[in-house]
Amino acid sequence: SSDEVVVSVFVPVEVYNTFSPNGDGVNDEWSIDGLERYEKVSIKIFDRWGQKVYEERSGDRVWDGKVNGTTVPVGTYYYIVDLEDPIEENQTLTGYMTVIK
């Protein structure tokens, strides 16, 4: 007899907590590694007063640090990332990031 086994290795989700959208070509965008395996992703980013500055639903999954074409001020921002996993249970990631120059 014989059998077949498929082993899938997934990249863990890694959220970076600092970026600098200053146009120098280094760390100009905030992104999350490991999102490729998720079909549906919702990303929301808020300023320190709780105002939503960014929202993305299964699109680019990258934030350039801009709101209405203007780069946000240096400071701390908070995120909520909802992941809909077709295999495991859905996950919600929360945390903060710092925008620097």
Side-chain angles (χ1 to χ4, degrees), residues 17-86:
N17 66 354
T18 305
F19 79 113
S20 58
N22 57 11
D24 68 355
V26 179
N27 298 321
D28 284 335
E29 297 177 326
W30 182 74
S31 62
I32 302 171
D33 287 347
L35 290 184
E36 10 344 286
R37 76 175 234 190
Y38 297 93
E39 293 176 21
K40 295 183 180 178
V41 177
S42 170
I43 300 171
K44 296 176 186 169
I45 300 174
F46 303 88
D47 64 17
R48 64 182 177 181
W49 297 284
Q51 298 288 356
K52 189 183 330 176
V53 296
Y54 177 79
E55 183 170 13
E56 178 67 46
R57 294 185 183 273
S58 300
D60 291 338
R61 303 176 183 190
V62 173
W63 182 41
D64 63 0
K66 295 182 180 175
V67 175
N68 299 323
T70 303
T71 303
V72 296
V74 169
T76 302
Y77 295 81
Y78 303 89
Y79 63 82
I80 299 172
V81 179
D82 289 317
L83 307 172
E84 188 173 312
D85 193 322

